[in-house]
Amino acid sequence: MKKGFPEGFLWGGATAANQIEGGLTDSKGLSVSDCYSFDSKLPMSEWSKQWKEMTHDQVKEALNEDSELYFPKRKGIDFYHYFKEDIKLFAEMGFKTYRMSIAWSRIFPNGDELEPNEKGLEFYDCVFDELIKYKIEPIVTISHYEMPLNLVVEYGGWTNRKLIDFFVNYSKCLFVRYKEKVKYWMTFNEINSVTKHPFTSVGVIEEGNPNLMQDIYQSAHHQFVAGALATQLCHEIIPDSKMGCMISYQMPIPYSCNPDDVQLSVEEQRKTLFFSDVQMRGYYPAYTARMFRQLGVNLIVKDGDSAILKNNPADYLGFSYYMSTASSSEPEKFDTVQGNLLNNGVKNPFLSVTEWGWQVDPKSFRVSLNQLYDLYQKPILVAENGLGAIDTVGNDNKINDSYRIEYLKNHISEMKEAIKDGVDILGYTSWGCIDCISASTSQISKRYGFIYVDMDDEGNGTLERMKKDSFYWYKKVIETNGEILN
Ligand code: BG6
């Protein structure tokens, strides 16, 4: 029996290009994430509404060069210019790995060009060199919520099969260019998010879409095929590489022992696991036929697609874990929680919630790790986990984020238990290791980092980086390979 974290465990942090880079320069094109504006005068429900339902007018406004709206993800935390300073801080914490993503629209500004943008490629060369200098292993997500906006406007996003070719061309370009620098890759961030916020995942505009479900699952099918082809190329071009797929897992717990709740939680779970089942096993599971019938989905699958999926499953499973959810067959009887993205999800009375209504449940993290490993028997990467909270800089310039330490400590403890249970975990990359723009609300005040960035939700601030208490705590965790968590 394993006693704790294995030698070589990949401790680190994670971010995404669209939430940190800024740098809308050197021919970078606009991406879907650049369409989210932010206005602090609007209520919070409006901010996350944008996330769940993009409108045609918003896309038009994003394309308007004279728009006076503030689009936080175009500025990020200016990692484009601060990356050396930021990576130095990661190294100081002892990071063994850094999960990052490449902005597709920095490499192919419109997505459909044949030749890449050299300036964009050079930028990531510099980032990887900096990581290698500190012996930090990059784990690179090829697409994390930032497909080029042009692919939405001109092609209708991933509903269009042509996107497979564009993505494969983009991926190939990355493998060829960075084959000496990057061994760990991931195809799509949280691929199952397509059912929750299709615009960021596959470029499908939700507003007034009569075929939303069809578009969602057809797009997902195209992503599966594209991801499998990229996996094949990755293995050919970089023989010792590992390609992962990734899902967001919000473990659905039956609200009660009422068999209806249990059945419902199984159905909710399948809506997520469908995405990893296809990519880890290489085929559509039996339950899909009924699921698609119920959703009115009639998938168009071309000859050869099944073989592509079958021959190129992912090498490891990455997943993000922030919360569990509770499934009730009578949801109207209970309170719901803001962060809950499941249809019949209700508040679990045993759990506390964050300021953004995300249920905190470290114990279900251990269960999730066990479930996912039992299912696929392949290594797991905890690609994201963390606490979004408001942080305050004290008079002494210190940032006491004991609540974050508590959250992370409890989750890491449960992860350690899962390792003792026998789960093969490659590494743990805490989300937003440096404060970044929130994916769902576009705020920076929803902070996750060990490193504070001096900026407010309107983009004002010096951008100065400051170490929070959790910075020193995490450094110790890494130094002791997870032995000391206090
Ligand atoms: C994950 C995403 O779902 O959650 C990240 O992969 C995101 O991009 C993270 O930032 C936290 O969510 P949020 O909305 O608090 O930024």
Side-chain angles (χ1 to χ4, degrees), residues 19 144-145 189-190 322 358 384 431 438-441 446 448:
Q19 291 164 261
H144 187 136
Y145 296 159
N189 180 63
E190 298 187 333
Y322 292 92
W358 292 22
E384 291 181 29
W431 174 252
S438 156
S440 58
T441 69
K446 188 181 187 190
Y448 286 85

Side-chain angles (χ1 to χ4, degrees), residues 244-313:
C245 64
M246 192 211 163
I247 56 166
S248 132
Y249 195 53
Q250 302 174 0
M251 199 182 109
I253 302 171
Y255 186 82
S256 74
C257 51
N258 176 345
D260 286 339
D261 290 359
V262 178
Q263 173 61 28
L264 196 70
S265 73
V266 171
E267 285 168 22
E268 288 295 350
Q269 195 174 34
R270 281 179 169 172
K271 282 183 197 158
T272 296
L273 294 184
F274 157 71
F275 292 87
S276 43
D277 283 352
V278 175
Q279 296 178 98
M280 297 297 286
R281 295 183 171 147
Y283 57 89
Y284 278 71
Y287 60 76
T288 352
R290 184 171 194 176
M291 191 174 93
F292 282 168
R293 202 168 50 245
Q294 283 169 349
L295 293 169
V297 170
N298 190 5
L299 214 60
I300 301 164
V301 177
K302 283 221 169 157
D303 284 354
D305 285 0
S306 303
I308 292 170
L309 297 179
K310 184 84 202 152
N311 295 332
N312 302 289

Side-chain angles (χ1 to χ4, degrees), residues 203-239:
V204 164
I205 298 175
E206 296 93 331
E207 184 196 41
N209 185 334
N211 302 314
L212 193 57
M213 278 302 148
Q214 176 67 27
D215 283 354
I216 283 175
Y217 284 95
Q218 191 62 51
S219 297
H221 177 70
H222 293 154
Q223 287 198 332
F224 292 149
V225 175
L229 288 169
T231 304
Q232 183 180 1
L233 276 173
C234 186
H235 289 150
E236 280 167 18
I237 298 169
I238 320 174

Side-chain angles (χ1 to χ4, degrees), residues 157-177:
W158 277 93
T159 55
N160 190 327
R161 208 179 154 94
K162 283 194 183 138
L163 271 274
I164 298 178
D165 294 339
F166 298 143
F167 180 81
V168 171
N169 187 38
Y170 161 52
S171 304
K172 185 175 177 191
C173 161
L174 301 184
F175 302 148
V176 171
R177 176 78 170 217

